[in-house]
Amino acid sequence: MIYIKFQDLSEEKQEELLQVSREHVTHIYGESIQKYVDETGADYDSLIDEEMIKNLYSYNFVFNI
């Protein structure tokens, strides 16, 4: 779970959440995505970004008000 203060939904916090998700996706799926990129010639960064956004929806957020 990720705990967030409701007042702290600034752009910086959103970027921090995206960075955490990017690191998580790279750690878990990085090798398989790289293998797919090597086979197809797709763009690695765009595939990571797509998975990063999908990954955010799998997190459980708790908002403290």
Side-chain angles (χ1 to χ4, degrees), residues 38-49:
D38 292 342
E39 292 173 357
T40 63
D43 184 34
Y44 179 80
D45 288 327
S46 66
L47 290 174
I48 290 288
D49 288 344

Side-chain angles (χ1 to χ4, degrees), residues 5-64:
K5 291 181 181 176
F6 189 73
Q7 297 89 348
D8 190 22
L9 295 177
S10 63
E11 189 172 330
E12 292 84 18
K13 187 63 170 184
Q14 292 176 26
E15 288 297 324
E16 180 184 335
L17 290 172
L18 287 171
Q19 184 62 30
V20 167
S21 180
R22 183 180 187 85
E23 290 171 5
H24 189 220
V25 166
T26 303
H27 176 71
I28 293 176
Y29 304 113
E31 291 179 20
S32 61
I33 291 175
Q34 186 62 50
K35 183 179 177 184
Y36 176 77
V37 166
D38 292 342
E39 292 173 357
T40 63
D43 184 34
Y44 179 80
D45 288 327
S46 66
L47 290 174
I48 290 288
D49 288 344
E50 288 175 21
E51 291 300 320
M52 169 184 68
I53 292 170
K54 289 179 195 176
N55 188 48
L56 278 176
Y57 289 103
S58 70
Y59 290 164
N60 291 321
F61 293 98
V62 175
F63 291 94
N64 296 322

